Amino acid sequence: MPKRILQGVVVSDKNDKTIVVKVERRLRHPVLKKTVRLSKKYHAHDEKNEAKTGDVVRIEETRPMSKQKRWAFVEKVAAGQA
């Protein structure tokens, strides 16, 4: 079974080897027919502490690393604002 890959923005890099990534998705409301933005935060493993707050990154599903970490950092798509 293929691993899921998500793209989002790093909202925190304060922990060692861990980043918090906010992933937004858009969907159409079933009754109002209006586009709604939903977001969720994922804790991801970043072995080399490469990602910084504000960066757009890709994360992939992996084995459980800790109580909250089930995702791993794959690559940086775009750098954040300085």
Side-chain angles (χ1 to χ4, degrees), residues 24-39:
E24 275 193 358
R25 61 190 186 104
R26 294 171 182 259
L27 59 92
R28 194 167 201 70
H29 192 282
V31 176
L32 302 177
K33 307 300 185 209
K34 186 175 182 179
T35 304
V36 181
R37 291 189 311 182
L38 298 177
S39 63

Side-chain angles (χ1 to χ4, degrees), residues 16-51:
D16 187 34
K17 298 185 180 180
T18 302
I19 56 175
V20 181
V21 181
K22 181 179 177 182
V23 177
E24 275 193 358
R25 61 190 186 104
R26 294 171 182 259
L27 59 92
R28 194 167 201 70
H29 192 282
V31 176
L32 302 177
K33 307 300 185 209
K34 186 175 182 179
T35 304
V36 181
R37 291 189 311 182
L38 298 177
S39 63
K40 185 171 179 181
K41 292 180 184 176
Y42 296 94
H43 291 253
H45 184 68
D46 182 9
E47 184 65 36
K48 299 174 187 166
N49 289 321
E50 297 174 43

